[in-house]
Each structure stands twice: as C-alpha cells, then as structure tokens.
C-alpha cells in the first residue's frame, strides 16, 4: 500500500500550518488526534494478554532497527559517504519509506504506553524535548542513532528488572514496580520527540505520521495480513 504525504518543503526549519515552530505546533495539535490514534492502537493490538509489555519492548526495538536499516540503505547507495540531511531527501521513495517506518515506531510507543497504564495522549500532554542534540545538517542520521540509544535504554532497564527483581516477563510483574514504569514512560516520551523531529525534517507533522500509519494498518486489517511480516503485505 502506498500513501502520498502532504507536499511540504524539506529540511527548512519547520513551520506548521498555524505559523508555529515545531514545539509550538506539537502543543497546538488537537488532543482528539492523539485520542483517536490511541483508540486505533487498542483496536489493532493482537498480542497475548499480560505479555504486552515484553512484546512491545522487543517489537519497538525491531521497528527502530528498521528505521535505521532504511537510513543505512540510503547511505550505502550514496557512494560519496555523505550522511548530511540533504542526502536522505533526494529520492521520494526513501523519504516515504522512512516516514512510514516512523509510523510503526509510533504505534509501538502508543501500545507500550497503553500496557504501562498510560497512553500516547498522556505522553503528548507531558511532552518534553529530548535534551540530546545532534549537529546541524546531520539531524536525520543523528536522530536515527538517538532512537536506537533510547530503545536500548528501555531494553537495558527491562533486562535489569528481570535479572534483579525476579520479574517473570508478565505485565503484572512490571506494573508492580512504579520506578520501572516511570522510567520507560520517560524514554517513550523522548522517542516520541525524536519521531516528531525526524518527521519535521521531511516537512511533515507527527499527525501525518499517525494518519499514514492508520491507513497502512487499516488496509492490512481489511486484508487479514496484520499478523504477517515484512513491509509489502
């Protein structure tokens, strides 16, 4: 399935339809956009009961890996070794593939937040910029690497919890430990920020990412391929 993203300038400082900067635009987005997406995620979550946290943590890591896989393929095709932001915007197919992967990342951010007793709506309201900066002109490759670091922190936190506190991998064991829940939700908020930043670098709002993800997964649900694997299903 293909999705045509809105035609907006690429790599310029992001100014939303409201005439706002990225941060201002994010806060002006209607809560209903995120509430509808939250409900959509609930309706497309098909993992086992009481195992959602472990499942979503591992799948979130996989989806972030796919974002970086798409970035690495662009670099591999560019024989000059240039990893500046401009390189990733030369081909429309590259831009769309990367932003669609960001939609899958966002789905697992929302699903994991749900499993932790929160939601993407709450993450949006508590939104704070990830304090780690990347060099100007290299924010796309830097953003991809930062996503990997953040989900690595979630994996490390989860592994240490199982090792040190005897967790059995069920939601019940994780949710009994409030520090674990709070730590992971903080990392999820930072991941959401990076998704927003990367989308903005391609000239899109995060709501474009949500809309494209809904269209893709709705199409798969209607064709009975939600449980499949691979991009082209």
């Amino acid at each position: 399935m293909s999705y045509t993203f809105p035609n907006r300038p690429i790599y310029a400082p992001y100014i939303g339809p409201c005439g706002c900067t990225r941060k201002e635009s994010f806060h002006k987005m209607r809560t209903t956009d995120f509430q509808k997406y939250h409900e959509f995620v609930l309706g497309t979550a098909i993992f086992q009961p009481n195992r959602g946290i472990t499942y979503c943590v591992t799948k979130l890591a996989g989806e972030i890996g796919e974002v970086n896989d798409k970035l690495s393929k662009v670099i591999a095709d560019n024989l000059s070794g240039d990893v500046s932001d401009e390189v990733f915007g030369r081909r429309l197919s590259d831009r769309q593939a990367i932003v669609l992967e960001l939609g899958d990342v966002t789905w697992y951010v929302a699903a994991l937040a749900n499993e932790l007793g929160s939601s993407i709506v709450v993450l949006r309201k508590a939104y704070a910029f990830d304090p780690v900066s990347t060099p100007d002109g290299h924010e796309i490759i830097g953003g991809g690497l930062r996503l990997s670091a953040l989900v690595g922190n979630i994996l490390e936190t989860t592994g240490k919890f199982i090792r040190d506190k005897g967790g059995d991998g069920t939601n019940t064991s994780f949710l009994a430990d409030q520090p674990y829940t709070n730590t992971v939700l903080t990392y999820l908020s930072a991941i959401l920020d990076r998704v927003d930043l990367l989308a903005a670098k391609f000239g899109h709002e995060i709501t474009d990412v949500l809309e494209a993800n809904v269209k893709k997964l709705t199409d798969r649900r209607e064709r009975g391929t939600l449980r499949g694997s691979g991009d082209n299903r």
Side-chain angles (χ1 to χ4, degrees):
M1 176 188 178
S2 62
Y3 175 76
T4 302
F5 287 95
N7 184 20
R8 299 194 182 112
I10 305 170
Y11 308 130
Y14 182 74
I15 301 295
C18 60
C20 309
T21 64
R22 183 173 76 93
K23 183 176 182 180
E24 293 168 337
S25 179
F26 193 98
H27 283 291
K28 284 179 179 291
M29 290 176 190
R30 296 176 302 170
T31 300
T32 52
D33 292 330
F34 292 88
Q35 180 62 40
K36 289 179 180 178
Y37 188 71
H38 162 73
E39 293 168 0
F40 173 78
V41 170
L42 288 175
T44 49
I46 54 176
F47 39 81
Q48 294 296 316
N50 207 31
R51 293 284 178 177
I53 292 175
T54 301
Y55 175 79
C56 289
V57 165
T58 55
K59 288 293 291 181
L60 177 60
E63 295 299 342
I64 287 176
E66 291 191 24
V67 171
N68 281 287
D69 181 58
K70 294 291 191 297
L71 295 176
S72 69
K73 287 177 180 178
V74 175
I75 296 170
D77 291 342
N78 175 41
L79 299 180
S80 70
D82 184 7
V83 293
S84 65
D85 290 346
E86 189 272 335
V87 168
F88 299 99
R90 289 176 181 167
R91 294 186 303 206
L92 177 63
S93 59
D94 291 334
R95 300 198 304 267
Q96 291 187 339
I98 292 166
V99 177
L100 284 171
E101 291 296 348
L102 291 175
D104 292 336
V105 169
T106 306
W107 191 96
Y108 280 103
V109 167
L112 182 52
N114 292 344
E115 294 299 298
L116 291 168
S118 185
S119 73
I120 194 172
V121 178
V122 175
L123 291 180
R124 180 258 182 187
K125 289 180 178 179
Y127 184 78
F129 281 130
D130 179 5
V132 176
S133 62
T134 52
D136 289 343
H138 293 79
E139 291 175 292
I140 291 177
I141 188 65
L145 292 172
R146 181 60 180 159
L147 283 176
S148 292
L150 289 166
V151 78
N153 289 335
I154 292 176
L155 288 165
E156 180 74 4
T157 300
T158 302
K160 285 183 176 179
F161 175 84
I162 294 172
R163 181 194 67 189
D164 298 339
K165 300 190 177 182
D168 59 4
T170 63
N171 285 13
T172 302
S173 64
F174 289 119
L175 293 174
D177 190 278
Q178 195 64 43
Y180 171 84
T181 299
N182 292 341
T183 298
V184 174
L185 288 172
T186 298
Y187 287 134
L188 290 180
S189 182
I191 289 173
L192 191 62
D193 172 48
R194 285 293 156 174
V195 170
D196 181 41
L197 173 61
L198 286 167
K201 292 300 293 183
F202 290 110
H204 303 296
E205 293 181 346
I206 196 169
T207 47
D208 297 331
V209 175
L210 303 185
E211 181 182 353
N213 185 248
V214 168
K215 287 180 180 292
K216 182 176 78 171
L217 295 183
T218 298
D219 177 70
R220 289 179 180 176
R221 180 169 58 185
E222 291 174 350
R223 292 184 292 107
T225 59
L226 271 178
R227 290 182 181 270
S229 61
D231 291 337
N232 299 315
R233 65 179 194 271

